[in-house]
Amino acid sequence: WRSDAPAQNAHCTRPHLPGASLVKTLLPAPGDCIVLKPRHSVFFGTPLAALRDEREVATHIISGISAESCVWMTACDAHTRGFDLVIPTDTMAATTAKRLRLSLTGLRDVLGARVPKTAASIRFSGKSRVA
């Protein structure tokens, strides 16, 4: 892990790596803010809260590899800060299907997150401010 986003992007998109083509589709657009997280929650040790305040973001769309760890911790921190949460089911994974179902239930029932089946179902208005 390095706190150098361009180097991380270059490393992860090397042609011989499995998944490089997928990573290329996820690369940030010019002008996008990149926040690399050192721990489970993206709020821990990062400038995300300050960026959110500066940009007046009210809704966080969360995705990640570990539904029961990193996604959960980030969602809890966002919920504590009063953000609306959207966490598409098809943008995360868990160690087992059962743990994914339990995490989704908790995200929805405990934290009040919207948990659509697909990220493609998310629609933005021209004035939306999301992170």
Side-chain angles (χ1 to χ4, degrees):
W1 186 90
R2 297 183 305 222
S3 61
D4 180 348
Q8 287 287 80
N9 293 340
H11 172 80
C12 293
T13 55
R14 292 181 298 175
H16 69 282
L17 290 178
S21 61
L22 172 65
V23 173
K24 286 179 184 177
T25 68
L26 302 171
L27 290 174
D32 284 351
C33 287
I34 301 168
V35 176
L36 295 176
K37 65 182 191 70
R39 299 296 293 184
H40 300 85
S41 172
V42 72
F43 289 94
F44 179 85
T46 74
L48 182 61
L51 287 170
R52 187 235 29 138
D53 291 343
E54 177 185 302
R55 294 175 180 226
E56 300 176 347
V57 173
T59 302
H60 282 262
I61 300 172
I62 300 173
S63 64
I65 293 179
S66 178
E68 67 268 52
S69 181
C70 296
V71 171
W72 180 259
M73 300 287 281
T74 295
C76 286
D77 282 350
H79 175 74
T80 299
R81 290 166 171 80
F83 301 126
D84 294 327
L85 300 171
V86 178
I87 308 170
T89 302
D90 68 340
T91 64
M92 64 181 143
T95 54
T96 67
K98 180 179 180 180
R99 287 184 178 167
L100 179 59
R101 283 191 307 275
L102 291 170
S103 295
L104 291 169
T105 300
L107 291 165
R108 185 180 49 251
D109 296 350
V110 176
L111 303 181
R114 284 189 349 192
V115 185
K117 289 187 188 285
T118 68
S121 66
I122 300 171
R123 301 286 180 254
F124 301 101
S125 68
K127 294 183 181 184
S128 292
R129 304 293 296 197
V130 296

